[in-house]
Amino acid sequence: MAGEAGTLLRSLDNGDSWMRIESIYPGSFFGTVATSDGSLLIYGLRGNVFRSTDEGETWARVDTGDQRTLMCGTATADGSVILAGSAGAVLFSDDGGASFRPVPTVGGRVYSGVSADPGGRLMLVGFGGISVIDPHAGSMATGNDDD
């Protein structure tokens, strides 16, 4: 679990007990994603993303090249990871979260939820409604992101 002020908690027994992990970052985290390869990602303020490949024992910063706050994320069975958040931030990874590239959006929306369809298109929800984008095309596919 990840939360405010760098809070990190870890359970190895399906939540029966929890241990606090020494914080790797003093800012707030807004979410976690488990990837198809077993990696864990935590993300939050100022575009901070950290990745663990050992069930949360150790964490490494992922340089996203983006300073926008990340508030939602999802992973797909093919290893893709999508993180999204404020000011139109959408970051896409095709290597289990080891690296990310920005996906262009318009309108500077704040995204609070993201999911992927079987074809790889992303549905983003938040202030301003629903947007659907194709991260492989690098542009908006459909939706109401043109205002």
Side-chain angles (χ1 to χ4, degrees):
M1 286 183 14
E4 296 288 325
T7 300
L8 292 176
L9 302 172
R10 179 178 179 221
S11 175
L12 297 175
D13 57 11
N14 294 316
D16 286 337
S17 63
W18 293 89
M19 62 188 94
R20 182 176 286 277
I21 298 172
E22 184 175 332
S23 183
I24 52 175
Y25 166 70
S28 292
F29 295 114
F30 296 127
T32 61
V33 172
T35 67
S36 63
D37 70 359
S39 298
L40 301 172
L41 297 170
I42 53 177
Y43 53 86
L45 286 177
R46 295 184 287 280
N48 280 286
V49 177
F50 294 86
R51 184 172 187 250
S52 175
T53 57
D54 57 8
E55 297 182 326
E57 182 72 29
T58 61
W59 295 89
R61 183 184 298 272
V62 178
D63 183 7
T64 65
D66 200 305
Q67 298 295 307
R68 295 174 290 178
T69 293
L70 300 168
M71 297 182 293
C72 58
T74 193
T76 63
D78 71 0
S80 298
V81 178
I82 303 92
L83 302 176
S86 67
V90 178
L91 303 178
F92 181 83
S93 171
D94 59 7
D95 59 9
S99 65
F100 286 89
R101 67 171 172 78
V103 176
T105 61
V106 295
R109 295 194 171 172
V110 176
Y111 299 116
S112 57
V114 60
S115 64
D117 73 13
R121 293 182 313 161
L122 307 176
M123 181 182 298
L124 297 130
V125 297
F127 297 127
I130 299 171
S131 301
V132 179
I133 62 174
D134 181 349
H136 304 290
S139 64
M140 303 305 292
T142 61
N144 57 1
D145 243 48
D146 53 17
D147 54 334

